[in-house]
Every structure is written in C-alpha cells, then in structure tokens.
Amino acid sequence: MPTTPDQKLWTRTRQAVHAEVARIAMGLFLERGFEATTIDDIAVAAGISRRSFFRYFGTKEDIVLGDLAAHGELIREELEARPAAEDAWTALINALRHAPRLGQDDVTMLKISKMLYGTPSLRARSLEKHLQWQALLTPEIRRRLGVAPDDEHDLRADAIVACVLMCVDVAGEAWTRSAGSQSLEDLLLEAVAAVRGSAADA
C-alpha cells in the first residue's frame, strides 16, 4: 500500500523530534555527565513528557548508541562494495576505514568516547551493538571465504569479524586515552596486525 502524504508528514515529524531530543540529551550528557543526567532532565529540557520520551527511546543508552546500528549498515554496504580481489581481512578493515562517518567532529567524538568508555552501562551496550554488527558483516565474509551459507562448522568468518570488531574497540579505547593525539586508523591497523601476527605465530 502506498504511503499517504499524512503518513509521510508524520514520519518526518517523528524523525525531527527524535533528532531534537537526541541533540538536547547529548548536550546534557556532555555537560553534566551521563549518569548524572536523568530521563526527567531530558524530558524537561526537550519540552516533552517522560511518557513521550519513551516513544522515541527505550533507554538513555539508546540516545548515545542509537547511531551505531545505522553505522553498521553503512559498513556492511561498504564491505559488499569492496573489490573481489581483497581477501576477507583486508576487505573488512578497508570497509571500516572507508565507510561514511556519522557527522560528528573529532572534538565531539572524543567527548562521547570518554563518556562511553567511562560508563559501564554504555560500555556494555556498545558491545551489544558490536554483536549486531557481527551479524550484519559475517555473511559477506563467509561469501568471500567461499563458505556455504548453511555450513555451521566453518568458524573462520565469525572469528575474523569478532577479532576485527574487538580490535575496533581496543583502538577506540587507546585513541580515547591519548585524547585523540594518535591516529585512530593507525591504532586499528596496529591492533589487527597484532592479532594476525599472533595467529601466524601460533
């Protein structure tokens, strides 16, 4: 059934409110701290009720990490577009390096990263999002390795994706500790090289 003009308007309005609440909430988180900011604080600042907040977000963590799911889709698209000549490791790393960013500048990203790595609940939810990324990325890695879709015994694709995503997390934490003074891309490549070197030496 085609979407009606009223439905399109409702969708655009909902998206606009969602983005505005997220913007206001992130400002409060960065100013006061994530744990010190309550849902009621966000609702008051955004001019909505607490009940309305839950129409847009399930938790406070979803405000900070909601874009990670969308970023995972961008990485998957980039991975599927990588040249066939690239091996599984190279294609996945290059997809992570070249996928479009979500628009945050480095200064803001550093503030968010410090909040993420310093807040246990955000850290846990971030790892959950990486599991979602793994589900998105593993099928293409399996295809590149020539693994049949129904082969449940070949673990190479799952292992490669899990290792690279853990390297992303390690590199992100190191970048945060360095206050952004080191290249995040270089840190990722260093982490991946350490894992692949260890595997080769085993």
Side-chain angles (χ1 to χ4, degrees):
M1 179 181 295
T3 303
T4 68
D6 284 346
Q7 288 172 325
K8 291 180 180 178
L9 177 61
W10 183 86
T11 299
R12 289 198 300 269
T13 301
R14 179 178 174 81
Q15 290 171 341
V17 174
H18 183 282
E20 179 66 7
V21 174
R23 183 190 66 79
I24 290 170
M26 286 299 297
L28 292 174
F29 293 153
L30 296 177
E31 177 187 345
R32 304 178 183 180
F34 181 82
E35 292 178 329
T37 302
T38 67
I39 290 173
D40 287 335
D41 291 336
I42 297 167
V44 169
I48 61 175
S49 67
R50 180 183 176 90
R51 181 177 180 180
S52 294
F53 172 91
F54 288 110
R55 292 176 184 164
Y56 297 97
F57 302 97
T59 65
K60 289 196 304 179
E61 287 79 6
D62 289 339
I63 297 172
V64 179
L65 299 170
D67 284 344
L68 278 183
H71 197 199
E73 290 288 353
L74 295 175
I75 295 168
R76 179 186 59 78
E77 292 173 5
E78 181 67 28
L79 175 61
E80 292 175 351
R82 298 305 306 170
E86 292 184 348
D87 63 49
W89 284 91
T90 303
L92 181 53
I93 294 161
N94 283 339
L96 287 161
R97 292 169 63 197
H98 299 299
R101 294 182 59 174
L102 295 178
Q104 299 284 9
D105 61 85
D106 284 347
V107 173
T108 302
M109 275 303 304
L110 182 59
K111 291 178 180 178
I112 294 172
S113 190
K114 287 179 178 179
M115 181 171 64
L116 189 155
Y117 286 107
T119 308
S121 64
L122 285 174
R123 192 84 162 88
R125 289 298 295 275
S126 174
L127 294 176
E128 287 180 20
K129 293 291 185 181
H130 278 186
L131 290 176
Q132 294 178 17
W133 284 17
Q134 183 161 351
L136 286 172
L137 302 174
T138 298
E140 173 62 14
I141 296 301
R142 288 174 67 88
R143 188 192 68 78
R144 285 178 180 266
L145 293 171
V147 179
D150 59 349
D151 186 344
E152 298 179 356
H153 302 291
D154 193 317
L155 304 180
R156 290 176 296 162
D158 299 84
I160 289 171
V161 175
C163 283
V164 171
L165 292 180
M166 185 53 67
C167 288
V168 169
D169 191 60
V170 168
E173 189 167 14
W175 179 76
T176 303
R177 287 198 305 269
S178 76
S181 63
Q182 295 180 268
S183 163
L184 182 56
E185 182 174 319
D186 288 348
L187 289 168
L188 172 60
L189 295 176
E190 182 181 343
V192 171
V195 171
R196 297 193 72 179
S198 298
D201 295 339

